[in-house]
Each structure stands twice: as structure tokens, then as C-alpha cells.
Amino acid sequence: MSDLEDKFLQSWIKHRLPRSPPLRREYRFSSTRRFRFDFCILSVKLAIEIDGYAYGQRCGSCKQPKNGYHQTITGINNSAEKQNLAIEEGWTVVRFTTAQLSSAEKRKECVEQVNRILIRMGDERIAIYNTTTPTSD
């Protein structure tokens, strides 16, 4: 697991909605290709991809820019092929970049976006949690 994926996972644990469905790691979603999602929620076929370092961004304590795989021609082509196959097989794919996950506050915003997507997708456990019940006076 990359450092960025680990940070996302820690943020997920802290900020997910109660009764959120389990988050799976490194899930191989296709029987025809060896593609894996960084994270996914099987019950609603929601994939979460962490794209890692963008070209020219500095990584951690590195002094030199890091050219990420997702910014190479091969990486871009493979990511597109993977995402298109996932969509063809009925998955919703959400992508987060290094910039979107660069701070604790931004990671929280990403988790909150996934929470909103889960609500929209209608997972029963989430829908039950978000149903308000009238209180008696």
C-alpha cells in the first residue's frame, strides 16, 4: 500500500458514515484482466482509485520531482483501459489525485464525497442511517 493510500484509508476509518459498507483493498474486479482497484465497496460496485504523484510534484522529503506512473503514456493508457472496463462491467469509479489528498482536511473532503456518493447510490445501510425519524414532544 502506498503512503497516499494508507493516508486515505486512515481518513476513511475516521470520517466514514456509521454503518458504511466495508472498504476492500486491491480488489481484482475483472475475470479477463488483472486490473485491481485500490479500494472498492462491493455492495454498490463503487471503486476508489488513488492516482499518486503527478508529474513534477515533490514526494515527501525528496528534493527531486517524482514522475508518477499515472502521468506516463503507459500509465494513462492503462488507467483509461481499466476505468472503461470497470464502467462496462457496471462499476462507478471515483479518482483522487495527490493534490486532492495532500492534507488531512482535503482527505476528509474526499471521504465526505464518497459518503455522498454512497447515499446517492442507495446502499440500504447508509439510507437507514440517513433517514430521520420524527421525535415526539
Side-chain angles (χ1 to χ4, degrees):
M1 178 179 330
S2 75
D3 181 53
L4 200 58
E5 290 169 0
D6 185 52
K7 287 178 179 179
F8 175 81
L9 181 59
Q10 294 309 312
S11 189
W12 170 261
I13 291 167
K14 186 175 181 180
H15 300 293
R16 69 181 179 212
L17 292 171
R19 299 188 199 151
S20 289
L23 191 65
R24 298 271 309 261
R25 289 268 313 122
E26 295 294 324
Y27 180 74
R28 186 173 171 185
F29 69 92
S30 174
S31 60
T32 61
R33 295 295 308 267
R34 296 184 66 133
F35 291 135
R36 295 177 189 270
F37 295 132
D38 294 327
F39 300 98
C40 75
I41 299 171
L42 287 173
S43 63
V44 291
K45 294 185 92 172
L46 175 65
I48 302 166
E49 288 287 284
I50 309 299
D51 281 344
Y53 292 96
Y55 180 82
Q57 287 185 314
R58 305 209 184 275
C59 67
S61 62
C62 296
K63 301 286 185 206
Q64 300 297 319
K66 179 172 182 148
N67 299 332
Y69 172 75
H70 294 285
Q71 301 304 312
T72 66
I73 291 172
T74 301
I76 292 168
N77 287 335
N78 285 343
S79 291
E81 184 179 353
K82 176 180 172 179
Q83 184 164 333
N84 291 345
L85 179 61
I87 292 168
E88 182 181 344
E89 293 188 11
W91 288 85
T92 297
V93 181
V94 179
R95 305 191 81 85
F96 296 116
T97 65
T98 302
Q100 290 173 295
L101 299 168
S102 63
S103 70
E105 185 58 34
K106 287 183 177 186
R107 287 188 293 277
K108 179 182 177 190
E109 290 171 10
C110 291
V111 170
E112 288 171 347
Q113 183 175 29
V114 173
N115 289 337
R116 290 189 302 273
I117 291 168
L118 283 170
I119 292 167
R120 185 207 63 184
M121 294 179 92
D123 185 282
E124 288 181 23
R125 289 167 286 201
I126 300 295
I128 290 168
Y129 171 75
N130 289 293
T131 301
T132 57
T133 55
T135 57
S136 58
D137 292 13

mmCIF file of all heavy atoms in Angstrom, residues 14-34:
data_model
loop_
_atom_site.group_PDB
_atom_site.id
_atom_site.type_symbol
_atom_site.label_atom_id
_atom_site.label_comp_id
_atom_site.label_asym_id
_atom_site.label_seq_id
_atom_site.Cartn_x
_atom_site.Cartn_y
_atom_site.Cartn_z
ATOM 1 N N LYS A 14 -11.684 7.226 9.953
ATOM 2 C CA LYS A 14 -12.060 8.320 10.855
ATOM 3 C C LYS A 14 -13.354 9.031 10.444
ATOM 4 O O LYS A 14 -14.137 9.441 11.291
ATOM 5 C CB LYS A 14 -10.915 9.326 10.905
ATOM 6 C CG LYS A 14 -11.104 10.436 11.905
ATOM 7 C CD LYS A 14 -9.868 11.305 11.980
ATOM 8 C CE LYS A 14 -10.048 12.399 13.008
ATOM 9 N NZ LYS A 14 -8.870 13.254 13.096
ATOM 10 N N HIS A 15 -13.592 9.174 9.135
ATOM 11 C CA HIS A 15 -14.684 10.049 8.669
ATOM 12 C C HIS A 15 -15.815 9.338 7.927
ATOM 13 O O HIS A 15 -16.751 10.007 7.481
ATOM 14 C CB HIS A 15 -14.125 11.152 7.770
ATOM 15 C CG HIS A 15 -13.123 12.011 8.454
ATOM 16 N ND1 HIS A 15 -13.441 12.849 9.497
ATOM 17 C CD2 HIS A 15 -11.783 12.146 8.260
ATOM 18 C CE1 HIS A 15 -12.356 13.470 9.913
ATOM 19 N NE2 HIS A 15 -11.338 13.053 9.188
ATOM 20 N N ARG A 16 -15.762 8.036 7.789
ATOM 21 C CA ARG A 16 -16.865 7.347 7.091
ATOM 22 C C ARG A 16 -18.136 7.450 7.912
ATOM 23 O O ARG A 16 -18.109 7.703 9.123
ATOM 24 C CB ARG A 16 -16.499 5.889 6.849
ATOM 25 C CG ARG A 16 -16.447 5.107 8.137
ATOM 26 C CD ARG A 16 -16.057 3.677 7.908
ATOM 27 N NE ARG A 16 -16.003 3.005 9.196
ATOM 28 C CZ ARG A 16 -15.183 2.033 9.472
ATOM 29 N NH1 ARG A 16 -14.330 1.603 8.569
ATOM 30 N NH2 ARG A 16 -15.212 1.467 10.648
ATOM 31 N N LEU A 17 -19.242 7.256 7.234
ATOM 32 C CA LEU A 17 -20.527 7.267 7.924
ATOM 33 C C LEU A 17 -20.680 5.993 8.751
ATOM 34 O O LEU A 17 -20.174 4.934 8.365
ATOM 35 C CB LEU A 17 -21.667 7.331 6.908
ATOM 36 C CG LEU A 17 -21.805 8.627 6.129
ATOM 37 C CD1 LEU A 17 -22.835 8.465 5.022
ATOM 38 C CD2 LEU A 17 -22.187 9.771 7.043
ATOM 39 N N PRO A 18 -21.380 6.082 9.874
ATOM 40 C CA PRO A 18 -21.696 4.851 10.606
ATOM 41 C C PRO A 18 -22.446 3.900 9.677
ATOM 42 O O PRO A 18 -23.183 4.335 8.789
ATOM 43 C CB PRO A 18 -22.596 5.332 11.744
ATOM 44 C CG PRO A 18 -22.254 6.777 11.905
ATOM 45 C CD PRO A 18 -21.905 7.269 10.529
ATOM 46 N N ARG A 19 -22.233 2.642 9.857
ATOM 47 C CA ARG A 19 -22.854 1.585 9.035
ATOM 48 C C ARG A 19 -22.384 1.589 7.592
ATOM 49 O O ARG A 19 -23.044 1.008 6.726
ATOM 50 C CB ARG A 19 -24.371 1.661 9.092
ATOM 51 C CG ARG A 19 -24.944 1.491 10.466
ATOM 52 C CD ARG A 19 -26.456 1.385 10.395
ATOM 53 N NE ARG A 19 -27.010 1.665 11.706
ATOM 54 C CZ ARG A 19 -28.189 2.177 11.905
ATOM 55 N NH1 ARG A 19 -28.965 2.468 10.908
ATOM 56 N NH2 ARG A 19 -28.614 2.398 13.131
ATOM 57 N N SER A 20 -21.274 2.237 7.315
ATOM 58 C CA SER A 20 -20.739 2.191 5.952
ATOM 59 C C SER A 20 -20.378 0.760 5.594
ATOM 60 O O SER A 20 -19.884 0.017 6.437
ATOM 61 C CB SER A 20 -19.485 3.052 5.831
ATOM 62 O OG SER A 20 -19.792 4.411 5.896
ATOM 63 N N PRO A 21 -20.606 0.387 4.359
ATOM 64 C CA PRO A 21 -20.207 -0.963 3.944
ATOM 65 C C PRO A 21 -18.686 -1.088 3.985
ATOM 66 O O PRO A 21 -17.974 -0.090 3.962
ATOM 67 C CB PRO A 21 -20.741 -1.063 2.509
ATOM 68 C CG PRO A 21 -21.015 0.323 2.085
ATOM 69 C CD PRO A 21 -21.228 1.149 3.294
ATOM 70 N N PRO A 22 -18.189 -2.314 4.049
ATOM 71 C CA PRO A 22 -16.743 -2.493 4.147
ATOM 72 C C PRO A 22 -15.994 -1.997 2.907
ATOM 73 O O PRO A 22 -16.487 -2.102 1.783
ATOM 74 C CB PRO A 22 -16.568 -4.005 4.312
ATOM 75 C CG PRO A 22 -17.888 -4.619 4.037
ATOM 76 C CD PRO A 22 -18.931 -3.552 4.062
ATOM 77 N N LEU A 23 -14.833 -1.455 3.163
ATOM 78 C CA LEU A 23 -13.945 -0.981 2.102
ATOM 79 C C LEU A 23 -12.929 -2.086 1.827
ATOM 80 O O LEU A 23 -12.203 -2.498 2.730
ATOM 81 C CB LEU A 23 -13.245 0.292 2.573
ATOM 82 C CG LEU A 23 -12.473 1.104 1.555
ATOM 83 C CD1 LEU A 23 -13.427 1.685 0.508
ATOM 84 C CD2 LEU A 23 -11.727 2.230 2.253
ATOM 85 N N ARG A 24 -12.907 -2.589 0.606
ATOM 86 C CA ARG A 24 -11.969 -3.654 0.225
ATOM 87 C C ARG A 24 -10.731 -3.048 -0.411
ATOM 88 O O ARG A 24 -10.811 -2.037 -1.082
ATOM 89 C CB ARG A 24 -12.620 -4.592 -0.802
ATOM 90 C CG ARG A 24 -13.850 -5.320 -0.330
ATOM 91 C CD ARG A 24 -13.567 -6.644 0.341
ATOM 92 N NE ARG A 24 -12.719 -7.529 -0.409
ATOM 93 C CZ ARG A 24 -13.139 -8.547 -1.154
ATOM 94 N NH1 ARG A 24 -14.421 -8.811 -1.251
ATOM 95 N NH2 ARG A 24 -12.278 -9.327 -1.782
ATOM 96 N N ARG A 25 -9.572 -3.690 -0.230
ATOM 97 C CA ARG A 25 -8.305 -3.247 -0.806
ATOM 98 C C ARG A 25 -7.898 -4.162 -1.949
ATOM 99 O O ARG A 25 -8.136 -5.367 -1.886
ATOM 100 C CB ARG A 25 -7.200 -3.321 0.260
ATOM 101 C CG ARG A 25 -7.299 -2.314 1.336
ATOM 102 C CD ARG A 25 -6.526 -1.051 1.072
ATOM 103 N NE ARG A 25 -5.188 -1.278 0.616
ATOM 104 C CZ ARG A 25 -4.713 -0.812 -0.535
ATOM 105 N NH1 ARG A 25 -5.435 -0.095 -1.315
ATOM 106 N NH2 ARG A 25 -3.480 -1.055 -0.903
ATOM 107 N N GLU A 26 -7.303 -3.586 -2.958
ATOM 108 C CA GLU A 26 -6.692 -4.361 -4.049
ATOM 109 C C GLU A 26 -7.632 -5.434 -4.598
ATOM 110 O O GLU A 26 -7.266 -6.593 -4.740
ATOM 111 C CB GLU A 26 -5.382 -4.996 -3.585
ATOM 112 C CG GLU A 26 -4.295 -3.993 -3.238
ATOM 113 C CD GLU A 26 -3.814 -3.193 -4.448
ATOM 114 O OE1 GLU A 26 -3.736 -3.759 -5.563
ATOM 115 O OE2 GLU A 26 -3.545 -1.994 -4.284
ATOM 116 N N TYR A 27 -8.839 -5.020 -4.940
ATOM 117 C CA TYR A 27 -9.852 -5.960 -5.427
ATOM 118 C C TYR A 27 -9.715 -6.161 -6.930
ATOM 119 O O TYR A 27 -9.751 -5.202 -7.709
ATOM 120 C CB TYR A 27 -11.252 -5.442 -5.084
ATOM 121 C CG TYR A 27 -12.347 -6.347 -5.558
ATOM 122 C CD1 TYR A 27 -12.601 -7.543 -4.897
ATOM 123 C CD2 TYR A 27 -13.109 -6.026 -6.669
ATOM 124 C CE1 TYR A 27 -13.604 -8.397 -5.331
ATOM 125 C CE2 TYR A 27 -14.117 -6.866 -7.112
ATOM 126 C CZ TYR A 27 -14.352 -8.056 -6.445
ATOM 127 O OH TYR A 27 -15.343 -8.898 -6.880
ATOM 128 N N ARG A 28 -9.556 -7.402 -7.339
ATOM 129 C CA ARG A 28 -9.490 -7.743 -8.771
ATOM 130 C C ARG A 28 -10.917 -7.897 -9.288
ATOM 131 O O ARG A 28 -11.615 -8.842 -8.947
ATOM 132 C CB ARG A 28 -8.701 -9.029 -8.966
ATOM 133 C CG ARG A 28 -8.482 -9.359 -10.416
ATOM 134 C CD ARG A 28 -7.560 -10.536 -10.569
ATOM 135 N NE ARG A 28 -7.550 -10.954 -11.956
ATOM 136 C CZ ARG A 28 -6.921 -12.009 -12.397
ATOM 137 N NH1 ARG A 28 -6.233 -12.765 -11.563
ATOM 138 N NH2 ARG A 28 -6.963 -12.322 -13.662
ATOM 139 N N PHE A 29 -11.334 -6.934 -10.108
ATOM 140 C CA PHE A 29 -12.751 -6.864 -10.490
ATOM 141 C C PHE A 29 -13.082 -7.556 -11.791
ATOM 142 O O PHE A 29 -14.244 -7.773 -12.097
ATOM 143 C CB PHE A 29 -13.198 -5.399 -10.573
ATOM 144 C CG PHE A 29 -12.591 -4.616 -11.707
ATOM 145 C CD1 PHE A 29 -13.235 -4.527 -12.931
ATOM 146 C CD2 PHE A 29 -11.377 -3.971 -11.553
ATOM 147 C CE1 PHE A 29 -12.691 -3.811 -13.979
ATOM 148 C CE2 PHE A 29 -10.821 -3.249 -12.594
ATOM 149 C CZ PHE A 29 -11.476 -3.173 -13.807
ATOM 150 N N SER A 30 -12.087 -7.910 -12.580
ATOM 151 C CA SER A 30 -12.350 -8.480 -13.897
ATOM 152 C C SER A 30 -11.764 -9.882 -13.999
ATOM 153 O O SER A 30 -10.653 -10.131 -13.538
ATOM 154 C CB SER A 30 -11.732 -7.592 -14.984
ATOM 155 O OG SER A 30 -11.872 -8.201 -16.253
ATOM 156 N N SER A 31 -12.517 -10.764 -14.619
ATOM 157 C CA SER A 31 -12.003 -12.114 -14.838
ATOM 158 C C SER A 31 -11.142 -12.179 -16.098
ATOM 159 O O SER A 31 -10.418 -13.146 -16.305
ATOM 160 C CB SER A 31 -13.164 -13.109 -14.938
ATOM 161 O OG SER A 31 -14.000 -12.755 -16.025
ATOM 162 N N THR A 32 -11.201 -11.142 -16.930
ATOM 163 C CA THR A 32 -10.443 -11.161 -18.179
ATOM 164 C C THR A 32 -9.120 -10.386 -18.114
ATOM 165 O O THR A 32 -8.265 -10.586 -18.957
ATOM 166 C CB THR A 32 -11.291 -10.580 -19.333
ATOM 167 O OG1 THR A 32 -11.623 -9.220 -19.030
ATOM 168 C CG2 THR A 32 -12.564 -11.384 -19.540
ATOM 169 N N ARG A 33 -8.984 -9.502 -17.146
ATOM 170 C CA ARG A 33 -7.755 -8.708 -16.988
ATOM 171 C C ARG A 33 -7.293 -8.761 -15.545
ATOM 172 O O ARG A 33 -8.078 -9.057 -14.655
ATOM 173 C CB ARG A 33 -8.006 -7.240 -17.384
ATOM 174 C CG ARG A 33 -8.344 -6.997 -18.843
ATOM 175 C CD ARG A 33 -7.181 -7.342 -19.790
ATOM 176 N NE ARG A 33 -5.930 -6.717 -19.422
ATOM 177 C CZ ARG A 33 -5.490 -5.553 -19.877
ATOM 178 N NH1 ARG A 33 -6.206 -4.875 -20.740
ATOM 179 N NH2 ARG A 33 -4.325 -5.074 -19.487
ATOM 180 N N ARG A 34 -6.059 -8.418 -15.314
ATOM 181 C CA ARG A 34 -5.503 -8.467 -13.954
ATOM 182 C C ARG A 34 -5.645 -7.128 -13.226
ATOM 183 O O ARG A 34 -4.944 -6.865 -12.265
ATOM 184 C CB ARG A 34 -4.055 -8.898 -14.021
ATOM 185 C CG ARG A 34 -3.908 -10.307 -14.563
ATOM 186 C CD ARG A 34 -2.484 -10.730 -14.520
ATOM 187 N NE ARG A 34 -2.090 -10.828 -13.116
ATOM 188 C CZ ARG A 34 -1.429 -11.839 -12.607
ATOM 189 N NH1 ARG A 34 -1.071 -12.839 -13.358
ATOM 190 N NH2 ARG A 34 -1.105 -11.836 -11.330
#
